[in-house]
């Protein structure tokens, strides 16, 4: 190959090398950005204080997003419009330490929602939602400190059982307020203050016991009334029959009286 040919081929070779390098860079960028493309708009992974974090704050979500990285340690779903939490919503996040669900529209939490989080989760924020009543079984075996403040709670035995079943975050103790109550005088008061003087579960039990006693007394009174009516009715029939016998001739009357007395006895 002549020197002239080598000079002509050099730009072509350099162009091919640059094109290959450009395609390689595009491939690498595409590989790095591909996982983020699966995330909902407004959600992104990061690392904070050495912990893998996934943020979806104020992302206009209406449900718990899927495909959250399963090595996530901190998950922020606050300031969205999530209305309820389904069963096993977080089962694929075994390393989750903190879960922030505050400032949503959550009105219902299904049993088993937090299944699989009992071992590691230490902070759960459900404040500023629309929770009225939640079963204590929803938080079964959960060791996390839970924030339940600023919800429109119905203060009753169910809430009392829930409060006793979870460990409340210290800064949320005064924020659990009776929006409604089985006893009207408690509305607007902090629930922990109310249960210091009122045992909702015992009040419910006493009410149930009284209702059962009233029902049993009602049935007993009906039985007694029927027995009294039955005896009086038979006595009246026997009296009329005896008066009829008195009007009969003496021989026939004695025979009928013996029969009547035997029947009555």
């Amino acid at each position: 190959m002549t020197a002239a040919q080598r000079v002509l081929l050099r730009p072509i070779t350099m162009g091919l090398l640059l094109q290959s390098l450009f395609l390689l860079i595009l491939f690498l960028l595409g590989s790095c950005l591909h996982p983020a493309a699966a995330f909902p708009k407004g959600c992104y992974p990061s690392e904070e204080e050495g912990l893998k974090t996934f943020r979806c704050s104020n992302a206009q979500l209406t449900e718990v997003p899927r495909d959250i990285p399963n090595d996530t340690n901190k998950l922020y779903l606050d300031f969205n419009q999530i209305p309820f939490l389904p069963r096993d919503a977080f089962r694929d996040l075994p390393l989750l330490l903190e879960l922030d669900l505050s400032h949503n529209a959550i009105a219902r939490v299904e049993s088993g929602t937090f299944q699989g989080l009992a071992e590691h989760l230490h902070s759960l924020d459900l404040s500023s939602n629309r929770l009225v009543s939640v079963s204590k079984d929803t938080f079964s075996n959960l060791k996390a400190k839970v924030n339940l403040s600023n919800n429109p709670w119905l203060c009753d035995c169910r809430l009392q059982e829930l409060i006793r079943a979870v460990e409340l975050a210290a800064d949320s103790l005064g924020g659990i307020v009776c929006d409604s109550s089985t006893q009207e005088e408690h509305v607007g008061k902090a629930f922990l203050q109310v249960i210091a003087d009122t045992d909702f579960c015992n009040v419910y039990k006493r009410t149930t016991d009284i209702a059962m006693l009233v029902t049993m007394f009602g049935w007993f009174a009906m039985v007694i009334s029927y027995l009294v009516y039955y005896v009086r009715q038979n006595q009246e029939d026997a009296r009329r029959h005896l008066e009829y016998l008195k009007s009969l001739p003496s021989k026939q009357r004695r025979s009928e009286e013996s029969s009547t007395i035997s029947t009555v006895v």
Side-chain angles (χ1 to χ4, degrees):
M1 181 179 292
T2 65
Q5 288 175 328
R6 287 197 295 269
V7 171
L8 291 173
L9 288 173
R10 187 176 297 169
I12 297 174
T13 304
M14 290 297 295
L16 290 173
L17 287 173
L18 289 172
Q19 184 179 7
S20 299
L21 181 61
F22 179 72
L23 291 174
L24 179 61
I25 291 172
L26 288 178
F27 174 77
L28 292 175
L29 286 174
S31 299
C32 294
L33 294 175
H34 177 70
F39 300 148
K41 183 180 179 181
C43 298
Y44 61 91
S46 64
E47 189 164 326
E48 300 176 6
E49 300 177 351
L51 297 175
K52 293 188 176 181
T53 303
F54 192 74
R55 286 190 175 273
C56 288
S57 302
N58 201 19
Q60 298 182 353
L61 298 177
T62 56
E63 63 180 4
V64 176
R66 301 177 182 179
D67 301 322
I68 299 171
N70 57 15
D71 59 351
T72 299
N73 302 127
K74 300 170 72 175
L75 177 58
Y76 293 89
L77 299 174
D78 51 320
F79 290 95
N80 285 290
Q81 293 115 37
I82 300 173
F84 80 101
L85 301 177
R87 182 180 178 86
D88 294 328
F90 308 100
R91 66 178 178 180
D92 296 325
L93 302 172
L95 302 180
L96 198 62
L97 301 175
E98 296 182 19
L99 176 56
D100 190 347
L101 291 158
S102 64
H103 297 89
N104 273 279
I106 301 170
R108 180 164 59 92
V109 183
E110 291 186 353
S111 179
T113 293
F114 305 109
Q115 188 171 331
L117 300 181
E119 292 298 321
H120 298 284
L121 192 69
H122 64 70
S123 176
L124 172 60
D125 194 344
L126 283 165
S127 64
S128 300
N129 277 284
R130 299 177 185 174
L131 296 172
V132 175
S133 184
V134 178
S135 170
K136 64 177 181 178
D137 297 333
T138 304
F139 302 94
S140 179
N141 300 321
L142 204 62
K143 300 174 183 177
K145 293 183 178 180
V146 184
N147 187 340
L148 298 173
S149 62
N150 298 320
N151 281 280
W153 290 109
L154 166 62
C155 292
D156 59 359
C157 179
R158 200 178 193 202
L159 179 58
Q160 182 172 312
E161 290 180 339
L162 171 63
I163 296 301
R164 289 175 176 174
V166 301
E167 182 179 355
L168 296 176
D171 57 351
S172 71
L173 297 180
I176 303 174
V177 177
C178 301
D179 187 72
S180 58
S181 175
T182 52
Q183 300 182 32
E184 190 65 28
E185 66 270 19
H186 297 145
V187 174
K189 295 182 179 178
F191 186 67
L192 294 183
Q193 176 187 350
V194 170
I195 59 175
D197 302 316
T198 303
D199 190 332
F200 284 90
C201 295
N202 276 346
V203 169
Y204 174 78
K205 185 176 183 300
R206 285 198 300 270
T207 303
T208 303
D209 290 344
I210 291 171
M212 290 182 64
L213 285 173
V214 170
T215 303
M216 291 175 63
F217 178 79
W219 279 105
F220 183 73
M222 288 176 62
V223 171
I224 294 298
S225 299
Y226 175 77
L227 289 175
V228 170
Y229 170 79
Y230 180 80
V231 170
R232 287 182 177 177
Q233 188 67 30
N234 283 350
Q235 286 179 341
E236 184 65 21
D237 290 343
R239 185 184 62 79
R240 286 197 299 267
H241 190 63
L242 288 174
E243 289 179 352
Y244 167 74
L245 292 177
K246 289 178 182 179
S247 64
L248 296 176
S250 59
K251 185 175 181 180
Q252 182 181 357
R253 183 175 60 201
R254 282 195 298 271
S255 175
E256 292 286 347
E257 284 178 350
S258 300
S259 177
T260 300
I261 291 171
S262 300
T263 302
V264 172
V265 172

